[in-house]
């Protein structure tokens, strides 16, 4: 069995919240986690996944106060062609070998959609990036399946 948790954690900067998330992930026996709103930066991400009990991480950073997606797992080190992000804090993808199959796991955090022009443009950009990500997952050698998980607002 392979347990994947998808969770909008609404920030992992606070140590107390990080500890609570770590306890829940352990309680749920999460082999991998797709997290949204991690509020990660290149600096704090160096140890964030390790604190939560995972050896591998793919982050799509935005800022310490907003957005940010991540896929955390354990396993062999990743090659560069097994990680895919855009730098928008909206989509993080990692190839995971689990239960005898190779999966592209995609963690997404979609923007809110309203009638305002700027939010429609942000949503259209997100859909375009998601389309590119799904295409990437189809062409990576040896992928047996795709898991798309996240906060779609």
């Amino acid at each position: 069995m392979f347990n994947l948790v998808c969770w909008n954690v609404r920030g992992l900067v606070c140590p107390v919240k990080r500890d609570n998330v770590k306890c829940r992930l352990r309680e749920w026996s999460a082999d991998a986690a797709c997290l949204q709103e991690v509020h990660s930066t290149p600096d704090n991400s160096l140890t964030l996944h390790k604190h939560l009990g995972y050896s591998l991480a793919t982050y799509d950073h935005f800022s310490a106060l907003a957005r940010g997606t991540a896929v955390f797992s354990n396993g062999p080190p990743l090659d560069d062609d097994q990680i895919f992000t855009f730098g928008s804090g909206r989509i993080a993808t990692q190839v995971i070998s689990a239960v005898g199959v190779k999966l592209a796991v995609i963690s997404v955090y979609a923007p809110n959609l309203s009638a305002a022009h700027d939010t429609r443009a942000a949503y259209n950009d997100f859909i375009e990036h998601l389309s590119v990500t799904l295409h990437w997952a189809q062409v990576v050698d040896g992928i047996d399946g795709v898991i798309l998980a996240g906060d779609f607002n």
Side-chain angles (χ1 to χ4, degrees), residues 88-106:
S88 62
R90 300 262 183 217
I91 302 173
T93 305
Q94 185 182 112
V95 175
I96 296 175
S97 294
V99 294
V101 296
K102 197 171 179 182
L103 302 168
V105 178
I106 305 168

Side-chain angles (χ1 to χ4, degrees), residues 81-119:
D81 67 342
Q82 295 177 309
I83 299 169
F84 194 74
T85 66
F86 281 98
S88 62
R90 300 262 183 217
I91 302 173
T93 305
Q94 185 182 112
V95 175
I96 296 175
S97 294
V99 294
V101 296
K102 197 171 179 182
L103 302 168
V105 178
I106 305 168
S107 178
V108 301
Y109 178 54
N112 290 311
L113 181 60
S114 71
H117 177 73
D118 58 338
T119 61

Side-chain angles (χ1 to χ4, degrees), residues 39-122:
H39 302 175
S40 64
T41 65
D43 290 336
N44 71 16
S45 67
L46 297 174
T47 58
L48 186 58
H49 60 284
K50 292 177 183 173
H51 177 80
L52 296 178
Y54 296 96
S55 59
L56 302 175
T58 302
Y59 293 93
D60 192 16
H61 305 294
F62 187 70
S63 82
L65 300 175
R67 293 191 208 163
T69 55
V71 179
F72 297 157
S73 67
N74 290 306
L78 299 170
D79 296 329
D80 287 341
D81 67 342
Q82 295 177 309
I83 299 169
F84 194 74
T85 66
F86 281 98
S88 62
R90 300 262 183 217
I91 302 173
T93 305
Q94 185 182 112
V95 175
I96 296 175
S97 294
V99 294
V101 296
K102 197 171 179 182
L103 302 168
V105 178
I106 305 168
S107 178
V108 301
Y109 178 54
N112 290 311
L113 181 60
S114 71
H117 177 73
D118 58 338
T119 61
R120 285 190 177 275

